[in-house]
Amino acid sequence: DAKTTQPNSMESNEEEPVHLPCNHSTISGTDYIHWYRQLPSQGPEYVIHGLTSNVNNRMASLAIAEDRKSSTLILHRATLRDAAVYYCILGYSGNTPLVFGKGTRLSVIA
Amino acid sequence: GAVVSQHPSRVICKSGTSVKIECRSLDFQATTMFWYRQFPKQSLMLMATSNEGSKATYEQGVEKDKFLINHASLTLSTLTVTSAHPEDSSFYICSARRRGRVDTQYFGPGTRLTVL
């Protein structure tokens, strides 16, 4: 499985932007970049995904490097409800399942 | 959005009993469903992949006779933990892939299993 590297933890102040980095230097041409987050005692929640171009949705933005070896999840204004473990995962466009790494634990300070 | 439900949300059982967990895709057809488990302070670990109407594919180290998976319809998959023991206590999470959309998985809320 293609692997990703994320910082173990990050901290942000409430209402400030948060940039969560992810390195995936061994990404292949068919790998999508997925971001999920997990709040305590809940299942993972889909955040965003992309292939080559930057993506925006109501939750976040995904900035993908030109060489696709890294990406950044951007939360434009962090709230206390954004405190969670964020997972960056590479996935094929096929039937293969998403394989989770350790993710980044985001703490948001009021 | 695509909704996946799990039932029960939590279950406590005695050692040696079997427990069945249901996973349903509520508003879409799921050709493929996945089962994960998560121990405290750890990440999700994939247990198995199941396609509707066929046998599940188990990850290495997961006992297929202990964790029985059935995917009888496009909206329902079940995981039965047979002869549960305390070490099977964990958070079990299912996930479904939408028919025609192979690039995203939708996750259920999880089932907390405690075996006494």
Side-chain angles (χ1 to χ4, degrees), chain B:
Chain B
V3 179
V4 176
S5 71
Q6 281 185 242
H7 177 78
S9 57
R10 60 177 65 233
V11 56
I12 301 172
C13 69
K14 291 182 179 179
S15 188
T17 61
S18 294
V19 175
K20 181 186 281 189
I21 302 170
E22 289 188 351
C23 174
R24 291 182 186 275
S25 56
L26 297 184
D27 52 357
F28 66 97
Q29 291 184 328
T31 48
T32 305
M33 287 184 168
F34 308 95
W35 286 94
Y36 296 79
R37 65 180 166 183
Q38 185 175 32
F39 294 107
K41 299 191 186 300
Q42 294 187 23
S43 187
L44 282 77
M45 291 168 27
L46 179 67
M47 298 176 68
T49 300
S50 89
N51 293 298
E52 185 262 338
S54 61
K55 289 184 179 179
T57 303
Y58 291 81
E59 295 299 300
Q60 192 171 9
V62 178
E63 300 173 57
K64 62 180 181 180
D65 294 330
K66 181 167 185 63
F67 299 99
L68 302 178
I69 292 172
N70 184 279
H71 191 167
S73 78
L74 285 172
T75 60
L76 173 64
S77 176
T78 60
L79 168 67
T80 301
V81 183
T82 62
S83 187
H85 288 97
E87 57 265 31
D88 298 323
S89 298
S90 190
F91 192 49
Y92 290 86
I93 305 167
C94 74
S95 172
R97 214 163 236 159
R98 193 173 199 156
R99 183 182 212 148
R101 286 286 306 272
V102 295
D103 55 351
T104 306
Q105 282 180 222
Y106 300 95
F107 288 82
T111 296
R112 174 80 55 195
L113 170 64
T114 303
V115 185
L116 303 176

Side-chain angles (χ1 to χ4, degrees), chain A residues 8-109:
Chain A
N8 289 333
S9 62
M10 289 184 65
E11 204 172 79
S12 172
N13 292 318
E14 197 177 11
E15 299 194 2
E16 288 189 358
V18 182
H19 290 233
L20 297 164
C22 181
N23 288 320
H24 29 78
S25 57
T26 59
I27 191 171
S28 74
T30 56
D31 284 335
Y32 282 83
I33 302 161
H34 301 261
W35 283 84
Y36 284 78
R37 70 181 186 182
Q38 187 180 25
L39 279 66
S41 298
Q42 295 187 27
E45 176 187 22
Y46 168 80
V47 177
I48 201 166
H49 78 283
L51 186 60
T52 56
S53 304
N54 293 344
V55 185
N56 299 297
N57 66 21
R58 63 175 180 80
M59 286 183 71
S61 296
L62 175 60
I64 302 173
E66 200 169 326
D67 62 5
R68 300 210 325 128
K69 293 186 176 182
S70 65
S71 61
T72 302
L73 178 71
I74 303 165
L75 306 179
H76 296 287
R77 285 183 65 197
T79 69
L80 296 178
R81 288 178 295 180
D82 291 323
V85 179
Y86 286 78
Y87 297 97
C88 167
I89 309 167
L90 301 184
Y92 298 106
S93 175
N95 248 358
T96 54
L98 298 177
V99 177
F100 287 73
K102 295 183 179 179
T104 297
R105 182 173 298 278
L106 175 67
S107 301
V108 180
I109 302 168

